[in-house]
Coordinates of all heavy atoms in Angstrom, one line a residue:
G1 N -25.4 19.9 -9.2 CA -24.4 20.1 -8.2 C -23.1 19.6 -8.8 O -23.0 18.9 -9.7
Q2 N -22.1 20.1 -8.0 CA -20.7 19.6 -8.4 C -20.3 18.2 -7.8 O -20.8 18.0 -6.6 CB -19.7 20.6 -8.0 CG -19.6 22.0 -8.8 CD -18.5 22.7 -8.3 OE1 -18.3 22.9 -7.1 NE2 -17.8 23.4 -9.3
T3 N -19.6 17.5 -8.5 CA -19.2 16.3 -7.9 C -17.6 16.4 -7.8 O -16.9 17.1 -8.5 CB -19.3 15.1 -8.9 OG1 -18.7 15.3 -10.1 CG2 -20.9 14.8 -9.1
Q4 N -17.1 15.9 -6.6 CA -15.8 16.0 -6.3 C -15.0 14.8 -7.1 O -15.5 13.8 -7.1 CB -15.4 15.8 -4.8 CG -16.0 17.0 -4.1 CD -15.5 16.9 -2.5 OE1 -15.5 15.9 -2.0 NE2 -15.3 17.9 -2.0
P5 N -13.8 15.2 -7.7 CA -13.1 14.1 -8.2 C -12.5 13.1 -7.2 O -12.3 13.6 -6.0 CB -11.9 14.8 -9.0 CG -11.8 16.1 -8.2 CD -13.2 16.4 -7.7
F6 N -12.3 11.9 -7.5 CA -11.7 11.0 -6.7 C -10.3 11.5 -6.4 O -9.5 11.9 -7.3 CB -11.8 9.5 -7.3 CG -13.0 8.9 -7.3 CD1 -13.7 8.6 -8.4 CD2 -13.6 8.6 -6.0 CE1 -15.0 8.0 -8.3 CE2 -14.9 8.1 -6.0 CZ -15.5 7.6 -7.1
F7 N -9.8 11.2 -5.3 CA -8.4 11.5 -4.9 C -7.7 10.1 -4.9 O -8.0 9.4 -3.8 CB -8.4 12.2 -3.5 CG -7.0 12.8 -3.3 CD1 -6.6 14.0 -3.9 CD2 -6.1 12.2 -2.4 CE1 -5.3 14.6 -3.6 CE2 -4.9 12.8 -2.1 CZ -4.6 13.9 -2.7
H8 N -7.0 9.8 -5.7 CA -6.4 8.4 -5.8 C -5.2 8.4 -5.0 O -4.3 9.1 -5.1 CB -6.0 8.0 -7.3 CG -7.1 8.1 -8.3 ND1 -8.0 7.0 -8.4 CD2 -7.6 9.1 -9.0 CE1 -8.9 7.3 -9.3 NE2 -8.7 8.5 -9.7
T9 N -5.3 7.5 -4.0 CA -4.3 7.4 -3.0 C -3.7 6.0 -2.9 O -4.4 5.0 -2.7 CB -4.7 7.7 -1.5 OG1 -5.4 9.0 -1.7 CG2 -3.7 7.7 -0.5
L10 N -2.4 5.7 -3.1 CA -1.7 4.5 -3.0 C -1.4 4.3 -1.5 O -0.7 5.1 -0.9 CB -0.4 4.5 -3.7 CG 0.3 3.1 -3.7 CD1 -0.5 2.1 -4.5 CD2 1.8 3.3 -4.3
V11 N -1.9 3.2 -0.9 CA -1.6 2.9 0.4 C -0.7 1.7 0.5 O -1.0 0.6 0.2 CB -3.0 2.5 1.2 CG1 -2.6 2.2 2.7 CG2 -3.9 3.7 1.1
A12 N 0.6 1.9 0.9 CA 1.6 0.9 0.9 C 1.8 0.6 2.4 O 2.6 1.2 3.1 CB 2.9 1.4 0.3
D13 N 1.0 -0.4 2.9 CA 0.9 -0.6 4.3 C 0.4 -2.0 4.4 O -0.3 -2.5 3.8 CB 0.0 0.4 5.0 CG 0.2 0.4 6.5 OD1 0.1 -0.7 7.1 OD2 0.3 1.5 7.0
L14 N 1.0 -2.8 5.5 CA 0.5 -4.1 5.8 C -1.0 -4.1 6.3 O -1.7 -5.0 6.2 CB 1.4 -4.8 6.7 CG 2.7 -5.2 6.2 CD1 3.5 -5.9 7.2 CD2 2.6 -6.0 4.9
A15 N -1.4 -2.9 6.9 CA -2.8 -2.8 7.6 C -3.8 -2.2 6.5 O -3.8 -1.0 6.2 CB -2.6 -1.8 8.7
A16 N -4.4 -3.1 5.8 CA -5.3 -2.7 4.8 C -6.5 -2.0 5.2 O -7.1 -1.2 4.4 CB -5.8 -3.9 4.0
E17 N -6.7 -1.9 6.5 CA -7.9 -1.2 7.2 C -7.9 0.3 7.0 O -8.9 1.0 6.9 CB -8.4 -1.6 8.6 CG -7.2 -1.4 9.5 CD -6.2 -2.5 9.6 OE1 -6.4 -3.6 9.0 OE2 -5.4 -2.4 10.5
I18 N -6.7 0.7 6.7 CA -6.6 2.2 6.5 C -7.4 2.5 5.3 O -8.0 3.6 5.1 CB -5.0 2.6 6.2 CG1 -4.4 2.5 7.5 CG2 -4.9 4.0 5.7 CD1 -2.8 2.5 7.4
C19 N -7.4 1.7 4.3 CA -8.2 2.0 3.1 C -9.7 2.2 3.3 O -10.3 3.1 2.7 CB -8.0 0.8 2.1 SG -6.4 0.7 1.4
D20 N -10.3 1.5 4.3 CA -11.6 1.6 4.7 C -11.9 3.0 5.2 O -12.9 3.7 4.8 CB -12.1 0.6 5.7 CG -12.0 -0.9 5.1 OD1 -12.1 -1.0 3.9 OD2 -11.9 -1.7 6.0
Y21 N -11.0 3.5 6.0 CA -11.1 4.8 6.6 C -11.0 5.9 5.5 O -11.8 6.8 5.5 CB -10.0 5.0 7.7 CG -10.0 6.3 8.2 CD1 -10.7 6.7 9.2 CD2 -9.1 7.3 7.8 CE1 -10.9 7.9 9.9 CE2 -9.1 8.5 8.4 CZ -10.0 8.8 9.4 OH -10.0 10.1 10.0
L22 N -10.0 5.7 4.7 CA -9.8 6.8 3.6 C -11.1 6.8 2.7 O -11.6 7.8 2.2 CB -8.6 6.5 2.7 CG -7.4 6.5 3.6 CD1 -6.2 6.1 2.6 CD2 -7.1 8.0 4.0
A23 N -11.7 5.6 2.4 CA -12.9 5.6 1.5 C -14.0 6.3 2.1 O -14.9 6.8 1.3 CB -13.2 4.1 1.1
R24 N -14.2 6.2 3.4 CA -15.3 6.9 4.1 C -15.3 8.3 3.8 O -16.4 9.0 3.9 CB -15.3 6.5 5.6 CG -15.9 5.2 5.9 CD -16.1 5.2 7.4 NE -14.8 5.3 8.1 CZ -14.3 4.4 9.0 NH1 -15.1 3.4 9.3 NH2 -13.1 4.5 9.6
Y25 N -14.2 8.9 3.6 CA -14.1 10.3 3.4 C -13.7 10.7 2.0 O -13.3 11.8 1.7 CB -12.9 10.9 4.4 CG -13.2 10.7 5.7 CD1 -12.8 9.7 6.5 CD2 -14.0 11.7 6.3 CE1 -13.3 9.5 7.8 CE2 -14.4 11.6 7.7 CZ -14.1 10.4 8.4 OH -14.4 10.3 9.6
G26 N -14.2 9.8 1.0 CA -14.2 10.2 -0.4 C -12.8 10.0 -1.1 O -12.9 10.3 -2.3
L27 N -12.0 9.4 -0.4 CA -10.8 9.1 -1.3 C -10.9 7.7 -1.9 O -11.7 6.8 -1.4 CB -9.5 9.1 -0.3 CG -9.0 10.4 0.0 CD1 -9.8 11.1 0.9 CD2 -7.7 10.4 0.6
Q28 N -10.2 7.5 -3.0 CA -10.1 6.2 -3.6 C -8.8 5.5 -3.4 O -7.8 5.7 -4.1 CB -10.4 6.4 -5.1 CG -10.6 5.0 -5.9 CD -10.9 5.3 -7.3 OE1 -10.5 6.3 -8.0 NE2 -11.7 4.5 -7.8
P29 N -8.6 4.7 -2.3 CA -7.3 4.1 -2.0 C -7.1 2.9 -2.8 O -8.0 2.2 -3.2 CB -7.6 3.8 -0.5 CG -9.1 3.6 -0.4 CD -9.8 4.5 -1.3
L30 N -5.9 2.6 -3.0 CA -5.3 1.4 -3.7 C -4.4 0.8 -2.8 O -3.3 1.5 -2.5 CB -4.8 1.7 -5.0 CG -4.2 0.6 -5.8 CD1 -5.1 -0.4 -6.1 CD2 -3.4 1.1 -7.1
H31 N -4.6 -0.3 -2.3 CA -3.7 -0.9 -1.4 C -2.8 -1.9 -1.9 O -3.1 -2.7 -2.9 CB -4.6 -1.9 -0.3 CG -3.7 -2.5 0.7 ND1 -3.5 -3.8 0.7 CD2 -3.1 -2.0 1.8 CE1 -2.7 -4.2 1.7 NE2 -2.4 -3.1 2.4
V32 N -1.5 -1.7 -1.5 CA -0.5 -2.7 -2.0 C 0.1 -3.3 -0.8 O 0.3 -2.7 0.2 CB 0.6 -2.1 -2.9 CG1 -0.1 -1.8 -4.2 CG2 1.2 -0.9 -2.3
A33 N 0.6 -4.6 -0.8 CA 1.1 -5.3 0.4 C 2.7 -5.4 0.4 O 3.2 -5.8 1.4 CB 0.5 -6.6 0.5
T34 N 3.3 -4.9 -0.7 CA 4.8 -5.0 -0.7 C 5.3 -3.7 -1.4 O 4.6 -3.1 -2.2 CB 5.3 -6.2 -1.5 OG1 4.9 -6.2 -2.8 CG2 4.8 -7.5 -0.8
F35 N 6.6 -3.5 -1.1 CA 7.2 -2.4 -1.8 C 7.3 -2.5 -3.3 O 7.1 -1.7 -4.1 CB 8.6 -2.0 -1.2 CG 9.2 -0.7 -1.7 CD1 8.8 0.5 -1.2 CD2 10.1 -0.7 -2.7 CE1 9.2 1.6 -1.5 CE2 10.6 0.4 -3.2 CZ 10.2 1.6 -2.6
A36 N 7.6 -3.8 -3.7 CA 7.8 -4.1 -5.1 C 6.4 -4.0 -5.8 O 6.3 -3.4 -6.9 CB 8.2 -5.7 -5.2
E37 N 5.4 -4.4 -5.1 CA 3.9 -4.1 -5.7 C 3.8 -2.6 -5.9 O 3.1 -2.1 -6.8 CB 3.0 -4.8 -4.8 CG 1.7 -4.7 -5.4 CD 0.6 -5.4 -4.6 OE1 0.8 -6.0 -3.6 OE2 -0.6 -5.4 -5.0
A38 N 4.1 -1.8 -4.9 CA 3.9 -0.3 -5.0 C 4.7 0.2 -6.3 O 4.2 0.9 -6.9 CB 4.5 0.4 -3.6
M39 N 5.9 -0.2 -6.4 CA 6.7 0.2 -7.5 C 6.0 -0.2 -8.8 O 6.0 0.5 -9.8 CB 8.2 -0.4 -7.4 CG 9.0 0.3 -6.4 SD 9.2 2.1 -6.5 CE 10.2 2.1 -8.1
A40 N 5.5 -1.4 -8.9 CA 4.9 -1.9 -10.2 C 3.6 -1.1 -10.4 O 3.4 -0.7 -11.6 CB 4.5 -3.4 -9.9
V41 N 2.9 -0.8 -9.4 CA 1.6 0.0 -9.6 C 2.0 1.4 -10.1 O 1.4 1.9 -11.1 CB 0.8 0.1 -8.3 CG1 -0.3 1.2 -8.5 CG2 0.2 -1.2 -8.1
L42 N 3.1 2.0 -9.5 CA 3.4 3.4 -9.8 C 4.0 3.6 -11.2 O 4.1 4.7 -11.7 CB 4.3 3.9 -8.8 CG 3.6 4.1 -7.4 CD1 4.7 4.4 -6.3 CD2 2.6 5.3 -7.5
T43 N 4.5 2.4 -11.8 CA 5.0 2.5 -13.2 C 3.9 2.4 -14.2 O 4.1 2.8 -15.4 CB 6.0 1.5 -13.4 OG1 5.4 0.2 -13.3 CG2 7.3 1.5 -12.6
T44 N 2.7 2.1 -13.8 CA 1.6 1.9 -14.7 C 0.3 2.9 -14.4 O -0.5 3.0 -15.3 CB 1.0 0.5 -14.8 OG1 0.6 0.1 -13.4 CG2 2.2 -0.5 -15.2
R45 N 0.4 3.4 -13.2 CA -0.9 4.3 -12.8 C -0.4 5.6 -12.2 O 0.8 5.7 -11.7 CB -1.6 3.5 -11.8 CG -2.3 2.2 -12.3 CD -3.2 1.7 -11.3 NE -4.3 2.5 -11.0 CZ -5.3 2.2 -10.2 NH1 -5.4 0.9 -9.9 NH2 -6.3 3.0 -10.0
T46 N -1.1 6.6 -12.4 CA -0.8 7.9 -11.6 C -1.7 8.0 -10.4 O -2.9 7.6 -10.3 CB -1.3 9.0 -12.6 OG1 -0.4 9.0 -13.7 CG2 -1.0 10.4 -12.0
V47 N -1.1 8.4 -9.3 CA -1.8 8.6 -8.1 C -1.6 9.9 -7.6 O -0.7 10.7 -8.0 CB -1.3 7.6 -6.9 CG1 -1.6 6.2 -7.3 CG2 0.0 7.8 -6.5
D48 N -2.5 10.5 -6.8 CA -2.5 11.8 -6.2 C -1.6 12.0 -5.0 O -1.1 12.9 -4.6 CB -3.8 12.4 -6.0 CG -4.7 12.4 -7.2 OD1 -4.3 13.1 -8.2 OD2 -5.8 11.7 -7.3
A49 N -1.4 10.8 -4.3 CA -0.8 10.8 -3.0 C -0.4 9.4 -2.6 O -1.0 8.4 -3.1 CB -1.5 11.4 -1.8
I50 N 0.6 9.3 -1.8 CA 1.1 7.9 -1.3 C 1.1 8.0 0.1 O 1.6 8.9 0.8 CB 2.5 7.5 -1.8 CG1 2.4 7.6 -3.4 CG2 2.9 6.2 -1.3 CD1 3.8 7.4 -4.0
I51 N 0.5 7.0 0.8 CA 0.7 6.8 2.3 C 1.5 5.5 2.5 O 1.2 4.5 2.0 CB -0.7 6.6 3.0 CG1 -1.5 7.9 2.8 CG2 -0.5 6.2 4.4 CD1 -2.9 7.7 3.4
L52 N 2.7 5.7 3.1 CA 3.7 4.7 3.1 C 4.1 4.4 4.5 O 4.5 5.3 5.3 CB 5.0 5.2 2.4 CG 6.2 4.3 2.3 CD1 5.9 3.0 1.5 CD2 7.4 5.1 1.7
D53 N 4.0 3.2 5.0 CA 4.5 2.7 6.2 C 6.0 2.6 6.3 O 6.6 2.2 5.3 CB 3.9 1.4 6.5 CG 4.1 0.9 8.0 OD1 4.9 1.6 8.7 OD2 3.5 0.0 8.4
Q54 N 6.5 3.3 7.3 CA 8.0 3.4 7.3 C 8.6 2.0 7.5 O 9.6 1.6 6.9 CB 8.6 4.3 8.5 CG 10.1 4.2 8.5 CD 10.5 4.9 9.8 OE1 9.9 5.5 10.6 NE2 11.9 4.8 9.9
R55 N 8.0 1.2 8.3 CA 8.3 -0.3 8.5 C 7.4 -1.1 7.8 O 6.4 -1.6 8.4 CB 8.4 -0.6 10.0 CG 9.4 0.1 10.7 CD 10.8 0.1 10.2 NE 11.6 -0.8 11.1 CZ 12.8 -1.2 10.5 NH1 13.2 -1.0 9.4 NH2 13.6 -1.9 11.4
F56 N 7.6 -1.2 6.5 CA 6.7 -2.1 5.6 C 7.2 -3.5 5.7 O 7.9 -4.0 4.9 CB 6.9 -1.4 4.2 CG 5.7 -1.7 3.3 CD1 4.6 -2.3 3.7 CD2 5.8 -1.5 2.0 CE1 3.5 -2.5 2.8 CE2 4.8 -1.7 1.0 CZ 3.7 -2.3 1.5
G57 N 6.5 -4.2 6.7 CA 7.2 -5.6 7.0 C 8.5 -5.4 7.4 O 8.8 -4.7 8.3
P58 N 9.4 -6.2 6.8 CA 10.9 -6.1 7.3 C 11.6 -5.0 6.6 O 12.9 -4.9 6.9 CB 11.5 -7.4 6.8 CG 10.6 -7.9 5.6 CD 9.2 -7.3 5.9
V59 N 10.9 -4.3 5.7 CA 11.6 -3.2 4.9 C 11.6 -1.8 5.6 O 10.5 -1.5 6.0 CB 11.1 -3.1 3.5 CG1 11.7 -2.1 2.7 CG2 11.2 -4.5 2.8
D60 N 12.7 -1.1 5.8 CA 12.7 0.2 6.1 C 12.6 1.1 4.9 O 13.5 1.0 4.1 CB 14.1 0.6 6.9 CG 14.1 2.0 7.3 OD1 13.1 2.7 7.1 OD2 15.1 2.5 8.0
T61 N 11.5 1.7 4.8 CA 11.2 2.4 3.5 C 11.8 3.8 3.3 O 12.0 4.2 2.2 CB 9.7 2.5 3.2 OG1 9.1 3.3 4.3 CG2 9.0 1.3 3.1
L62 N 12.5 4.4 4.4 CA 13.0 5.7 4.2 C 14.2 5.7 3.2 O 14.2 6.6 2.4 CB 13.5 6.2 5.5 CG 12.4 6.7 6.6 CD1 13.1 7.1 7.9 CD2 11.5 7.6 6.0
P63 N 15.0 4.6 3.2 CA 16.2 4.7 2.3 C 15.6 4.5 0.9 O 16.3 4.8 -0.1 CB 17.1 3.5 2.7 CG 16.8 3.3 4.1 CD 15.3 3.7 4.3
L64 N 14.4 4.1 0.7 CA 13.8 3.8 -0.6 C 13.1 4.9 -1.2 O 12.6 4.9 -2.4 CB 13.0 2.6 -0.5 CG 13.6 1.2 -0.1 CD1 12.7 0.1 0.1 CD2 14.7 0.9 -1.1
L65 N 12.9 6.0 -0.6 CA 12.2 7.2 -1.0 C 12.7 7.7 -2.3 O 12.0 8.0 -3.2 CB 12.1 8.2 0.0 CG 11.3 8.1 1.2 CD1 11.4 9.1 2.3 CD2 9.8 7.8 0.8
P66 N 14.1 7.7 -2.5 CA 14.6 8.2 -3.8 C 14.2 7.2 -4.9 O 13.9 7.7 -6.1 CB 16.1 8.2 -3.6 CG 16.3 8.3 -2.2 CD 15.2 7.7 -1.5
T67 N 14.0 6.0 -4.6 CA 13.6 5.0 -5.7 C 12.2 5.3 -6.1 O 11.9 5.2 -7.2 CB 13.7 3.5 -5.1 OG1 15.0 3.3 -4.8 CG2 13.2 2.6 -6.1
L68 N 11.3 5.5 -5.1 CA 9.9 6.1 -5.5 C 9.9 7.2 -6.3 O 9.0 7.3 -7.1 CB 9.1 6.2 -4.2 CG 8.5 5.1 -3.4 CD1 7.8 5.7 -2.1 CD2 7.5 4.4 -4.3
R69 N 10.8 8.3 -6.0 CA 10.8 9.4 -6.8 C 11.2 9.3 -8.2 O 10.9 10.1 -9.1 CB 11.8 10.5 -6.1 CG 11.1 11.1 -5.0 CD 10.1 12.1 -5.5 NE 9.4 12.7 -4.4 CZ 8.0 12.4 -4.3 NH1 7.3 11.8 -5.2 NH2 7.4 12.9 -3.3
T70 N 11.6 8.1 -8.5 CA 12.0 7.9 -10.0 C 10.7 7.5 -10.8 O 10.8 7.6 -12.0 CB 13.1 6.6 -10.1 OG1 12.5 5.4 -9.6 CG2 14.3 7.0 -9.4
V71 N 9.7 7.3 -10.0 CA 8.5 6.7 -10.9 C 7.3 7.7 -10.5 O 6.2 7.6 -11.2 CB 8.1 5.3 -10.6 CG1 9.1 4.4 -11.1 CG2 7.9 5.1 -9.0
T72 N 7.4 8.6 -9.5 CA 6.2 9.4 -9.2 C 6.7 10.7 -8.6 O 7.8 10.8 -7.9 CB 5.3 8.7 -8.2 OG1 4.1 9.5 -8.0 CG2 6.0 8.4 -6.9
S73 N 5.9 11.7 -8.8 CA 6.2 13.0 -8.1 C 5.1 13.3 -7.1 O 5.0 14.4 -6.5 CB 6.3 14.2 -9.0 OG 5.1 14.3 -9.8
A74 N 4.2 12.3 -6.8 CA 3.1 12.5 -5.9 C 3.7 12.7 -4.4 O 4.7 12.2 -4.0 CB 2.1 11.2 -5.9
P75 N 2.9 13.6 -3.6 CA 3.4 13.7 -2.2 C 3.3 12.4 -1.5 O 2.5 11.4 -1.7 CB 2.3 14.6 -1.7 CG 1.5 15.2 -2.8 CD 1.7 14.2 -4.0
I76 N 4.3 12.2 -0.6 CA 4.5 11.0 0.1 C 4.3 11.2 1.5 O 5.1 12.0 2.1 CB 5.7 10.1 -0.1 CG1 5.9 10.0 -1.7 CG2 5.9 9.0 0.6 CD1 7.2 9.5 -2.0
L77 N 3.3 10.6 2.4 CA 3.2 10.8 3.7 C 3.7 9.4 4.3 O 3.2 8.4 4.0 CB 1.7 10.9 4.1 CG 1.5 10.8 5.6 CD1 1.8 12.1 6.3 CD2 -0.1 10.4 5.8
V78 N 4.8 9.5 5.1 CA 5.3 8.4 5.7 C 5.0 8.3 7.3 O 5.0 9.3 7.9 CB 6.9 8.4 5.7 CG1 7.5 7.2 6.4 CG2 7.5 8.5 4.3
H79 N 4.4 7.2 7.6 CA 3.9 7.1 9.0 C 4.5 5.7 9.5 O 5.0 4.8 8.8 CB 2.4 7.0 9.0 CG 1.8 5.7 8.7 ND1 1.5 4.7 9.6 CD2 1.5 5.2 7.4 CE1 1.1 3.6 9.0 NE2 1.1 3.9 7.5
T80 N 4.4 5.7 10.9 CA 4.9 4.5 11.6 C 4.1 4.2 12.9 O 3.5 5.2 13.4 CB 6.4 4.6 11.9 OG1 6.7 3.4 12.5 CG2 6.7 5.8 12.9
A81 N 3.9 3.0 13.2 CA 3.3 2.7 14.4 C 4.1 2.7 15.7 O 3.7 2.6 16.7 CB 2.6 1.4 14.3
N82 N 5.5 2.8 15.3 CA 6.5 2.8 16.4 C 6.5 4.1 17.1 O 6.3 5.2 16.8 CB 7.8 2.5 15.9 CG 8.0 1.1 15.2 OD1 7.2 0.3 15.6 ND2 8.7 0.9 14.2

């Protein structure tokens, strides 16, 4: 049988439980707790997608999207609980 490749997803969100949900559906999530940590990971690893909380702690991440684009071309899904 065929095996599906892991879909490496960077989860930049204070709520780490999102990773549990993604893992149940065959994704391989990598959780980071700060925007700086996300940037550090993206300079050393390739991911297939990014899930980004718009309000990442005190940081509004929308103005930082161009900064993310300097280190990755992965699709970015921005979400908010607001």
Side-chain angles (χ1 to χ4, degrees):
Q2 284 185 321
T3 58
Q4 290 184 324
F6 286 114
F7 193 78
H8 300 277
T9 306
L10 180 70
V11 179
D13 194 310
L14 295 179
E17 58 270 5
I18 292 173
C19 293
D20 296 334
Y21 177 81
L22 295 173
R24 278 191 298 231
Y25 292 95
L27 280 72
Q28 188 175 33
L30 172 62
H31 180 255
V32 294
T34 66
F35 189 82
E37 189 179 355
M39 290 298 293
V41 166
L42 291 169
T43 59
T44 60
R45 294 183 64 171
T46 300
V47 298
D48 298 303
I50 300 166
I51 298 175
L52 179 65
D53 190 347
Q54 180 190 351
R55 294 306 250 169
F56 200 14
V59 177
D60 179 2
T61 58
L62 289 181
L64 299 175
L65 290 175
T67 303
L68 277 177
R69 279 288 166 242
T70 66
V71 294
T72 184
S73 62
I76 302 170
L77 172 78
V78 178
H79 78 94
T80 183
N82 295 333

